[in-house]
Amino acid sequence: MGTKRQSITMLENENEVSKDAAACVGSVKGLKENWQQWSDKHQKYQKHNPFSHDTKPSVLVPQRGQDDYGRPLQGSMTEQRGKDACTHISREVQELCEVIRNIGDPGQKDGNGREEEIITVEFGKLFERYVTISNKLVGILLRARKQGLVDFEGEMLWQGKDNHVVITLLQ
């Protein structure tokens, strides 16, 4: 059929093909192992991912209606940051009340048959004085009103528009 030379060449080609096939099979095996490693690592990561459906909470999470629901875990950094923020805001509210005492006008209020001394200040005057101290005066005023320390009309105060709104220091 063919010459001896052609037979030898065909055998060499078959050997090369079988080597390539072996290399291909080896690389597929390597790909499979790499894929499996990635898959195992990803599954492990997903167990700790709070947004994954595979998450198994390691700590009992409070349910609606329980006292701890919507609160950070006790002893966590989140709880500590919240406490620090509360302390900081409380200091700012106290500082605002002190500024109102210093620049406000004393007056009298008739409350339940007795005279009470109150301190009032217009928002514009307070804004001009307090703007050098803090740029969040309105937020601090809203917090102070929520705590029952000051009172003013309206839901929100705007510079310019509400400069003549009277702010009353209650305590």
Side-chain angles (χ1 to χ4, degrees):
M1 297 226 269
T3 64
K4 188 174 183 183
R5 178 79 180 141
Q6 288 175 336
S7 301
I8 292 174
T9 306
M10 288 176 79
L11 283 174
E12 287 175 354
N13 287 342
E14 286 178 12
N15 285 340
E16 288 178 21
V17 169
S18 65
K19 285 180 186 176
D20 289 343
C24 184
V25 169
S27 67
V28 170
K29 185 177 180 183
L31 284 173
K32 181 182 173 191
E33 288 174 0
N34 287 342
W35 179 259
Q36 191 61 46
Q37 287 175 355
W38 179 86
S39 176
D40 293 342
K41 203 183 310 180
H42 183 70
Q43 285 176 354
K44 186 178 178 182
Y45 168 77
Q46 286 296 79
K47 288 180 182 175
H48 299 289
N49 181 355
F51 302 105
S52 169
H53 295 294
D54 297 335
T55 303
K56 305 279 191 287
S58 58
V59 185
L60 185 61
V61 179
Q63 300 299 314
R64 259 187 207 174
Q66 292 179 338
D67 292 338
D68 290 346
Y69 182 73
R71 304 218 182 265
L73 296 175
Q74 289 186 344
S76 67
M77 292 295 291
T78 303
E79 181 189 37
Q80 186 59 44
R81 284 190 292 269
K83 287 179 180 178
D84 293 346
C86 185
T87 303
H88 177 74
I89 291 172
S90 295
R91 267 187 272 142
E92 288 209 18
V93 168
Q94 293 302 320
E95 184 179 341
L96 171 67
C97 292
E98 192 61 37
V99 169
I100 293 173
R101 272 189 205 94
N102 291 338
I103 67 170
D105 302 321
Q108 298 291 326
K109 179 182 179 185
D110 187 22
N112 296 335
R114 63 177 196 263
E115 294 280 323
E116 291 183 38
E117 189 171 310
I118 59 168
I119 298 175
T120 60
V121 65
E122 286 186 347
F123 176 68
K125 183 178 178 183
L126 179 63
F127 188 88
E128 290 301 319
R129 174 68 198 291
Y130 201 82
V131 77
T132 59
I133 300 169
S134 173
N135 61 353
K136 40 195 175 295
L137 171 63
V138 176
I140 300 299
L141 275 170
L142 292 172
R143 175 62 81 148
R145 178 167 68 177
K146 187 176 181 180
Q147 294 176 2
L149 299 174
V150 299
D151 189 35
F152 55 88
E153 287 194 26
E155 197 172 314
M156 178 67 81
L157 297 174
W158 303 97
Q159 182 190 12
K161 177 184 158 205
D162 294 321
N163 281 351
H164 298 293
V165 173
V166 175
I167 298 170
T168 305
L169 184 64
L170 300 176
Q171 294 183 1

